[in-house]
Amino acid sequence: MSKKRVVYEGKAKILYEGPEPGTLIQYFKDDATAFNAQKKAVLDGKGVLNNRISEFMMTRLGAVGIPTHFIRRLNMREQLIKKVEIIPLEVVVRNIAAGTLSKRLGIEEGQVLPRPMVEFYFKDDALGDPLVTEEHIAAFGWAGPQEYDDLISLALRVNDFMSGLFAAVGIRLVDFKLEFGRYFEGDTDMPRILLADEISPDSCRLWDFETGEKLDKDRFRRDLGGVTEAYAEVARRLGIIKESGETDNVVSFTGGK
């Protein structure tokens, strides 16, 4: 890994120069952060699980016509992706009140929203990723009018698909964060909008349908413990790894099989 050129390093992932033009290698770290990196830890195997879960979600979203940056998984911690120009917005879709929405508006956590709600946050760690409006996005040129419409449309399509997928395995999709990028194909000046980054329990709130147990990063934020165990439970329910007690192809928390 030392021979690869680092293009970007974030809190949970590293991007390396890819083997072919227009590609990158996305490496999933075991680092966990919360509250704008004020809280940090290293959780053995988190990166392995997030890599596998994100591969699963991106592959299935691609199969239903949602364009993504994902090309293929390379190994237990890395995947080959298309190089995109990241749009500096986090797109959050909410189905149930939780987290900052509950705090900001005084809505009880767990209240089902009348319809899926799409919010935009400006990607800037120094500012704490502030909530922004369509007016801000247009005024500062973070996304054009058509791109803005495309982001909302794609986010809602992702929500429809993932809500059903998780519901089928007894998990409630509370909310989630998406990132998108512009993909310049060939010599064209008109980029395509691709779903980028990752989809994992790091970027989604996932609650067990029956018990309400949290199966996501809130276990780390709220000191509930059992973070990687919860991520592994999500992977087991999705069929990515086998049930406890089965030994064939079970992914260990250290990255082996």
Side-chain angles (χ1 to χ4, degrees), residues 189-234:
D189 292 329
M190 294 295 292
R192 295 172 62 204
I193 300 297
L194 302 185
L195 178 61
D197 195 47
E198 67 175 301
I199 297 178
S200 74
D202 267 9
S203 59
C204 303
R205 277 194 174 87
L206 305 169
W207 295 353
D208 181 89
F209 250 113
E210 293 186 2
T211 66
E213 180 185 7
K214 293 174 174 57
L215 301 172
D216 55 65
K217 192 176 174 180
D218 271 350
R219 300 201 69 85
F220 175 68
R221 294 186 187 98
R222 303 184 184 190
D223 295 318
L224 299 176
V227 180
T228 50
E229 289 82 0
Y231 286 27
E233 176 63 17
V234 172

Side-chain angles (χ1 to χ4, degrees), residues 111-128:
Q111 180 176 324
V112 177
L113 300 175
R115 63 177 184 270
M117 181 180 297
V118 181
E119 296 178 335
F120 291 86
Y121 295 80
F122 179 51
K123 280 175 57 63
D124 189 313
D125 286 343
L127 298 175

Side-chain angles (χ1 to χ4, degrees), residues 2-69:
S2 59
K3 296 180 181 178
K4 299 174 186 173
R5 186 175 73 87
V6 175
V7 175
Y8 170 81
E9 181 167 1
K11 294 187 281 288
K13 293 181 295 296
I14 305 173
L15 296 179
Y16 295 97
E17 192 173 56
E20 301 146 16
T23 66
L24 296 171
I25 293 172
Q26 183 166 250
Y27 175 87
F28 288 77
K29 301 193 289 186
D30 283 341
D31 297 37
T33 65
F35 312 120
N36 202 19
Q38 294 180 32
K39 182 177 183 179
K40 301 178 183 179
V42 176
L43 304 174
D44 286 346
K46 183 176 81 73
V48 173
L49 290 163
N50 280 351
N51 184 24
R52 296 295 302 274
I53 293 170
S54 192
E55 172 201 11
F56 179 92
M57 300 305 300
M58 291 287 186
T59 300
R60 275 147 186 79
L61 287 167
V64 297
I66 295 171
T68 81
H69 73 164

